[in-house]
Amino acid sequence: QVHLVESGGGLVQAGDSLRLSCAASGGTFSSYAMGWFRQAPGNEREFVTVISGRGGSTYYADSVKGRFTISRDNTKNTLYLQMNSLKPEDTAVYYCAARRGIPKTVRAEFASWGQGTQVTVSS
């Protein structure tokens, strides 16, 4: 199992940008599809975006399409989430997750999870 640690969360204003990072260790990073999920208070953890092992394929939730960009640097074993034009409804704990094989958008398909990083967007 790969070990994941997120960082980069914080408190920002609506319209601001933020970049999250997820450092991976304990596995061959490029063999994992990597995803970002988020969970707001009282809500289920929801899919945000996912990227394939070599970065050639990405998928986004409609709610973040055009504002968020997922990327990865396999030489640094690090996953990124660039979040632009943030909205108050983006407020949540953001989790990175890993799965062997092809990208999926379903939470249950991911075996490894980080501890999460809080993102708060004020209006």
Side-chain angles (χ1 to χ4, degrees):
Q1 294 261 0
V2 64
H3 181 64
L4 305 173
V5 178
E6 303 95 334
S7 61
L11 172 62
V12 297
Q13 293 186 332
D16 285 351
S17 297
L18 204 59
R19 188 175 83 156
L20 305 183
S21 299
C22 173
S25 60
T28 303
F29 187 59
S30 59
S31 69
Y32 291 89
M34 299 295 298
W36 288 99
F37 291 75
R38 66 186 182 185
Q39 187 167 16
N43 290 358
E44 295 287 323
R45 192 171 300 186
E46 65 176 8
F47 167 76
V48 176
T49 179
V50 65
I51 188 168
S52 60
R54 296 185 178 184
S57 297
T58 58
Y59 303 92
Y60 295 89
D62 287 343
S63 59
V64 306
K65 203 170 293 183
R67 299 187 299 122
F68 290 10
T69 302
I70 190 171
S71 62
R72 63 191 299 161
D73 185 339
N74 287 349
T75 66
K76 297 181 178 179
N77 289 355
T78 303
L79 174 73
Y80 303 101
L81 180 65
Q82 178 66 43
M83 304 185 293
N84 298 331
S85 302
L86 282 161
K87 304 175 181 181
E89 50 264 45
D90 294 318
T91 295
V93 177
Y94 283 72
Y95 299 88
C96 67
R99 74 176 307 276
R100 291 187 181 274
I102 63 174
K104 297 282 189 180
T105 63
V106 176
R107 181 182 64 188
E109 296 281 354
F110 289 78
S112 299
W113 292 83
Q115 83 289 347
T117 186
Q118 176 71 48
V119 173
T120 303
V121 184
S122 64
S123 58

